């Protein structure tokens, strides 16, 4: 009996790995500036841009895109600002995304159509960002998947002349 369970678990793990590999292959053919790779209880955000600042903006945007199934229903009628600071680039990205998650999860229940980083200090690890969107309204915005938390798990930031990209896993 134990052998059958072990084999079933191994088969499931192999299937999950195959799905993840397939998702990465599909991702390489996409031309968006952010993608989501969904796993069991979390999603991996991969965002990139012409600068690290743009990659950070796209990571936050990808998180908001996950929260509604029809992002086109979000209008840019309001603004909301957040500030974050960290000890390094990873903690700065974590805190930026966490501040935006808080803005969505508590009053003003803000969902952004666009994120613009207005101050990006990579020496003192401080950031200010403005979001353009509106209050989330379940009768207007189809509910997507709830984002419960931002994680440091396998967080990666690549900033070089050739590429500016970030990887963040969010708990769902």
């Amino acid at each position: 009996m134990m052998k059958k369970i072990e084999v079933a678990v191994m088969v499931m793990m192999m299937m999950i790995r195959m799905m993840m590999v397939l998702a990465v292959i599909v991702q390489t053919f996409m031309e968006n500036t952010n993608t989501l790779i969904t796993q069991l209880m979390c999603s991996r955000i991969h965002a990139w841009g012409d600068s690290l600042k743009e990659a950070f903006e796209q990571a936050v945007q990808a998180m908001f895109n996950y929260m509604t199934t029809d992002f086109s229903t979000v209008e840019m009628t309001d603004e909301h600002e957040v500030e974050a600071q960290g000890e390094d680039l990873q903690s700065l990205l974590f805190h930026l995304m966490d501040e935006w998650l808080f803005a969505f999860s508590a009053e003003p229940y803000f969902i952004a159509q666009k994120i613009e980083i207005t101050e990006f200090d990579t020496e003192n690890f401080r950031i200010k960002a403005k979001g353009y969107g509106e209050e989330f309204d379940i009768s207007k915005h189809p509910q997507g998947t709830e984002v419960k938390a931002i994680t440091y798990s396998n967080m990666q930031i690549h900033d070089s002349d050739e590429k500016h990209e970030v990887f963040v896993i969010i708990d769902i």
Side-chain angles (χ1 to χ4, degrees):
M1 181 88 166
M2 186 64 150
K3 295 272 185 196
K4 288 181 183 177
I5 292 172
E6 289 175 357
V7 170
V9 168
M10 287 176 54
V11 168
M12 283 180 53
M13 294 298 289
M14 286 175 38
M15 290 175 62
I16 290 169
R17 285 188 186 125
M18 287 173 38
M19 287 173 36
M20 290 173 62
V21 168
L22 181 60
V24 169
I25 291 169
V26 169
Q27 170 187 337
T28 61
F29 293 104
M30 299 177 86
E31 293 184 14
N32 293 334
T33 54
N34 60 60
T35 59
L36 295 168
I37 298 176
T38 303
Q39 297 174 9
L40 293 177
M41 297 303 286
C42 59
S43 285
R44 180 178 169 208
I45 294 174
H46 174 203
W48 59 93
D50 292 332
S51 65
L52 189 59
K53 176 182 152 189
E54 185 179 352
F56 274 44
E57 291 169 343
Q58 290 299 322
V60 175
Q61 197 62 58
M63 178 182 70
F64 278 121
N65 214 351
Y66 205 75
M67 296 173 179
T68 181
T69 58
D70 186 0
F71 205 61
S72 66
T73 62
V74 179
E75 297 178 38
M76 294 192 291
T77 57
D78 296 322
E79 288 182 15
H80 186 77
E81 291 188 47
V82 300
E83 294 183 27
Q85 61 184 21
E87 294 83 41
D88 55 23
L89 283 175
Q90 285 189 339
S91 63
L92 185 61
L93 178 59
F94 173 91
H95 290 295
L96 173 68
M97 293 184 71
D98 195 49
E99 287 294 326
W100 282 114
L101 179 58
F102 183 78
F104 178 82
S105 302
E107 283 191 43
Y109 309 108
F110 187 81
I111 185 164
Q113 171 72 253
K114 179 182 179 185
I115 299 295
E116 178 185 357
I117 294 176
T118 56
E119 292 182 32
F120 192 52
D121 183 348
T122 58
E123 290 182 20
N124 298 306
F125 306 111
R126 296 180 187 274
I127 198 165
K128 289 183 182 181
K130 208 179 265 192
Y132 303 93
E134 62 185 329
E135 183 177 329
F136 184 82
D137 179 354
I138 194 67
S139 65
K140 179 180 180 184
H141 308 110
Q143 186 173 4
T145 302
E146 177 186 10
V147 175
K148 295 178 184 170
I150 313 303
T151 74
Y152 281 103
S153 176
N154 202 24
M155 183 184 284
Q156 298 174 39
I157 298 175
H158 302 283
D159 187 29
S160 67
D161 292 338
E162 297 85 40
K163 64 180 174 181
H164 312 279
E165 62 184 344
V166 299
F167 297 85
V168 181
I169 294 179
I170 55 175
D171 283 341
I172 55 173

